[in-house]
């Protein structure tokens, strides 16, 4: 309770700064009252959703997610405005002190706020505020197809030109727009790749979250099939289950659901993709993540029966697995496909110029193609979203990778 009271107090103090900027920038009272109403409504909804409105323990439900999203947008607006005004306050105090000590006035009197600076603060703050609202309204379904060509000296000849489509991090429990998700699924099929790989996190917490969407994702088709693995959210670890039996049953339900949709789920095992006499080893491991994430992935078990000189593609949800274990493994995995990071769903990307997200401070390999020790990884930015119910600058991704044999056109 004390934490909530402290949070509310800090929130209101930050909002007071923005209210001062509004009063300096405009003398229209209705704007001031509208701002007060919005900030209190957003605060009240957030407190309600995460206290009395909490229905499923730690589960981040859709109402909670939107309450967090609106609070984030309002807080961002207020904090940026406060930075401008607080900087001005420092200047005002220095000026007042100068006049009192050195100016001979004998009194401490703060200069008035400058209207121009208040308007500038509000203008700058409105940019990320608008971007966060846009990300919640449209950005989260702004699907992008990213295409890469990767060359390998030892790629089997029959697989020259082989096309892979990768999706990751569906997080179906967050979906709220059937037409847009249907469009995304159709966009995957339109790539007409030879095979489709899904690299984990089908749900947020429970297998039942996928029930409204399973028929839609059952439409995914590729000549060589649809293969999948589990991500950290698929195990139900973030739910306060009544018993371990219910948790275990949820995982079994999710596995059965994937198979019902036509996904070939790889659980620390492998398959071979065949083209005539040539073949590629497809290896799929369970989740393995650095830190407190589940470490169920087992490369040794998954590669039993695979020859060391086979061309190998690895599906592993968390890119920290590639960094910590895979690239140093003697089996030499030519290409690893991961997800997990979502690119934090927020950042700035201008192809060839800028690629930045705060998530880079947590994950060295956080989005796109990387190469180390003659091995490649693609970290997919994710198809869905979690937490903040939107995306800004880091759009939902469908990856298409074409394999090439070095020296051939």
């Amino acid at each position: 309770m004390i934490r909530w009271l402290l949070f509310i107090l800090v929130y209101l103090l930050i909002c007071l700064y923005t209210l001062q900027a509004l009063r300096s920038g405009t003398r229209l009272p209705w704007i001031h009252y509208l701002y007060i109403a919005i900030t209190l409504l957003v605060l009240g909804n957030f407190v309600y959703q995460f206290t009395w409105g909490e229905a499923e323990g730690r589960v981040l439900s859709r109402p909670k997610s939107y309450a967090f999203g609106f609070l984030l947008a309002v807080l961002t607006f207020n904090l940026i405005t406060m930075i401008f005004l607080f900087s001005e306050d420092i200047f005002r105090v220095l000026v007042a002190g100068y006049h009192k000590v050195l100016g001979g006035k004998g009194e401490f009197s703060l200069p008035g706020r400058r209207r121009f600076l208040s308007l500038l603060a509000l203008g700058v703050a409105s940019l990320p505020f608008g971007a966060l609202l846009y990300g919640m309204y449209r950005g989260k379904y702004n699907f992008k197809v990213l295409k890469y060509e990767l060359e390998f000296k030892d790629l089997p000849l029959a697989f020259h030109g082989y096309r892979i489509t990768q999706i990751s991090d569906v997080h179906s429990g967050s979906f709220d727009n059937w037409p847009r998700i249907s469009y995304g699924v159709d966009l995957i099929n339109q790539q007409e790749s030879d095979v489709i790989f899904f690299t984990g996190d089908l749900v947020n917490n429970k297998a039942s979250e996928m029930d409204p969407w399973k028929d839609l994702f059952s439409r995914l088709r590729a000549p060589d099939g649809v293969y999948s693995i589990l991500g950290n959210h698929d195990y139900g670890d973030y739910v306060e289950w009544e018993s371990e039996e219910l948790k275990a049953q949820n995982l079994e339900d999710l596995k059965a659901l994937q198979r019902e949709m036509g996904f070939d789920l790889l659980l620390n095992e492998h398959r071979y993709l065949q083209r005539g006499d040539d073949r590629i080893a497809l290896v799929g491991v369970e989740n393995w993540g650095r830190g407190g994430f589940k470490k169920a992935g087992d490369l040794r078990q998954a590669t039993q029966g695979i020859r060391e000189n086979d061309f190998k593609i690895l599906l592993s949800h968390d890119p920290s697995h590639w960094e910590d274990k895979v690239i140093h493994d003697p089996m030499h995995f030519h290409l690893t496909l991961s997800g997990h990071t979502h690119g934090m769903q927020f950042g700035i990307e201008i192809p060839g110029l800028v690629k930045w997200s705060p998530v880079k401070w947590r994950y060295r390999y956080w989005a796109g193609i990387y190469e180390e020790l003659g091995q490649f990884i693609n970290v997919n930015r994710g198809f869905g979203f979690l937490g903040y119910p939107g995306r800004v600058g880091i759009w939902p991704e469908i990856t298409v990778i074409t394999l090439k044999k070095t020296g051939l056109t």
Side-chain angles (χ1 to χ4, degrees), residues 145-149 162-166 187-188 191-193 378 380 397-402:
V145 178
L146 302 184
K147 297 184 178 182
Y148 305 98
E149 290 187 356
Y162 193 79
R163 285 165 58 89
I164 294 166
T165 288
Q166 180 200 0
L187 193 59
I188 296 169
Q191 305 314 307
E192 298 183 337
S193 291
N378 180 64
N380 184 283
E397 175 182 346
I398 299 165
T399 310
V400 178
I401 298 174
T402 302

Side-chain angles (χ1 to χ4, degrees), residues 14-22 35 77-78 81-82 122:
I14 293 172
C15 291
L16 281 175
Y17 259 97
T18 304
L19 186 58
Q20 291 180 48
L22 285 169
Y35 169 77
F77 180 82
N78 288 332
T81 305
M82 188 186 75
L122 294 170

Side-chain angles (χ1 to χ4, degrees), residues 306-356:
I306 289 180
R307 297 176 303 182
E308 193 169 325
N309 62 345
D310 281 338
F311 189 95
K312 293 174 284 294
I313 296 176
L314 173 67
L315 309 183
S316 179
H317 178 68
D318 192 320
S320 67
H321 187 214
W322 188 72
E323 182 180 0
D324 292 354
K325 299 291 184 180
V326 175
I327 58 177
H328 304 292
D329 193 276
M331 286 295 286
H332 186 87
F333 295 90
H334 298 75
L335 173 62
T336 298
L337 302 176
S338 298
H340 181 64
T341 72
H342 300 202
M344 203 173 168
Q345 298 169 208
F346 176 85
I348 301 171
E349 288 197 84
I350 303 174
L353 294 176
V354 180
K355 178 182 171 184
W356 179 88

Side-chain angles (χ1 to χ4, degrees), residues 217-259:
F217 281 83
S218 296
R219 292 177 1 202
L220 292 176
R221 292 287 184 273
D224 288 346
V226 180
Y227 296 87
S228 64
I229 56 171
L230 297 177
N232 56 297
H233 279 267
D234 294 323
Y235 295 90
D237 287 341
Y238 311 118
V239 178
E240 294 174 351
W241 298 95
E242 294 181 5
S243 68
E244 286 299 315
E245 289 75 15
L246 285 175
K247 180 180 178 181
Q249 185 59 53
N250 177 74
L251 181 57
E252 292 306 311
D253 291 345
L254 184 67
K255 293 176 183 178
L257 180 62
Q258 293 206 32
R259 294 175 179 126

Side-chain angles (χ1 to χ4, degrees), residues 228-229 266-270 282-286 302 313-315:
S228 64
I229 56 171
L266 303 179
L267 301 167
N268 292 327
E269 53 191 329
H270 67 271
L282 174 63
V283 182
V285 294
E286 294 196 49
I313 296 176
L314 173 67
L315 309 183

